[in-house]
Amino acid sequence: NEWKLKKKASPGNLQGFEDILFFEGDGVANSSATMAVRISARKEGQLKMGMAIVDTDSQTLRTAELLEHEKLWNLESAIIQYGIKECFI
């Protein structure tokens, strides 16, 4: 078996997967999720981050508290994964 790369993307560049993500109005494009974030400084380049995500379509509330890298990789991933339209910091 030989593997062939059909699509390629990264968290900051989703062009290769737009047809999947935005298929017939489903997915991230029509999300009504809003996020609130609180970031406090920690030692050694780490930050403590708390976040809450409210999605009025699915009527869900998600919360998390975690250690974050100074480049905010986890925050970026959450914004992309949940299709956040607004973020309060």
Side-chain angles (χ1 to χ4, degrees):
N1 283 333
E2 284 191 34
W3 293 90
K4 293 183 181 178
L5 182 63
K6 288 189 174 185
K7 295 186 182 277
K8 184 177 178 181
S10 67
N13 181 6
L14 299 176
Q15 270 185 319
F17 288 94
E18 283 181 347
D19 56 334
I20 295 170
L21 291 173
F22 306 123
F23 177 72
E24 294 181 10
D26 293 334
V28 176
N30 291 328
S31 173
S32 62
T34 301
M35 173 187 273
V37 176
R38 181 172 185 247
I39 300 174
S40 57
R42 301 272 296 194
K43 58 183 175 177
E44 300 174 12
Q46 288 187 334
L47 305 169
K48 183 177 178 182
M49 181 176 70
M51 70 172 90
I53 300 171
V54 177
D55 188 341
T56 56
D57 287 341
S58 64
Q59 297 181 344
T60 57
L61 171 65
R62 296 175 175 92
T63 61
E65 185 174 80
L66 50 109
L67 291 178
E68 176 66 286
H69 188 269
E70 63 186 13
K71 295 191 182 215
L72 304 175
W73 292 324
N74 293 320
L75 177 60
E76 179 184 15
S77 294
I79 289 171
I80 292 168
Q81 180 179 358
Y82 294 106
I84 303 299
K85 297 297 181 190
E86 293 181 277
C87 182
F88 300 97
I89 299 177

